[in-house]
Amino acid sequence: MTDLDDIPAPRGDLTLKLLASRQDTNLHGDIAGGWLVAHMDQAAELAAGREAHGRTATVAIEAMDFLCPVRVGSMVNIYTTVCEIGHSSIRIDVEVWIRQPQERDPRELHKVTEATFVMVALDDKGRIRAVHQ
């Protein structure tokens, strides 16, 4: 049996924190999904790079659903959790949580999306290598 979480909270380490600005919007004035995915990828790469002690690359992104739009002025917090380390690959869970621009309580966060990124360790020539060398 699992316990239900009455107050959802981010899981993992805060890896990136940035402000959503006007130049990052789509035609409707919301932050573009691709902008979020690019920063999620960057956070996954940072987390994987720490584990691999070097260069990594994204080889897959598992399913992603967007739960709510991100408005200009939102503080975007990207959390990462290393969930599995293989011979050359690292699976990273990535969550995006935002603080709305009008929110006064810095602890009040809203989940936007999550996905699992699969990263591989690379050597200096861009070839796949073992994670721990």
Side-chain angles (χ1 to χ4, degrees):
M1 184 170 172
T2 60
D3 294 326
L4 293 176
D5 192 355
D6 291 338
I7 304 172
R11 292 176 300 137
D13 298 320
L14 179 60
T15 305
L16 280 180
K17 186 173 189 171
L18 42 125
L19 186 65
S21 61
R22 281 206 194 286
Q23 72 242 22
D24 307 315
T25 60
N26 61 22
L27 297 173
H28 303 288
D30 297 321
I31 299 303
W35 182 87
L36 276 178
V37 174
H39 287 293
M40 292 171 74
D41 186 57
Q42 184 180 30
E45 188 172 355
L46 287 167
R50 285 193 292 264
E51 292 296 325
H53 304 289
R55 186 175 168 194
T56 63
T58 307
V59 294
I61 302 171
E62 295 178 0
M64 181 182 304
D65 294 316
F66 291 93
L67 306 174
C68 66
V70 177
R71 304 276 184 222
V72 169
S74 296
M75 184 58 64
V76 178
N77 302 279
I78 304 176
Y79 295 83
T80 58
T81 304
V82 175
C83 48
E84 183 181 338
I85 299 174
H87 175 70
S88 60
S89 65
I90 304 169
R91 293 170 62 84
I92 309 281
D93 285 340
V94 181
E95 294 184 358
V96 177
W97 291 72
I98 61 167
R99 183 170 47 96
Q100 302 282 6
Q102 71 277 9
E103 183 58 56
R104 299 201 190 285
D105 183 355
R107 297 166 298 177
E108 184 67 29
L109 298 175
H110 303 278
K111 189 173 189 177
V112 174
T113 191
E114 67 182 329
T116 300
F117 284 67
V118 181
M119 315 296 287
V120 292
L122 300 175
D123 66 15
D124 292 338
K125 295 181 178 163
R127 293 179 303 218
I128 295 174
R129 65 168 175 86
V131 172
H132 297 290
Q133 290 186 346

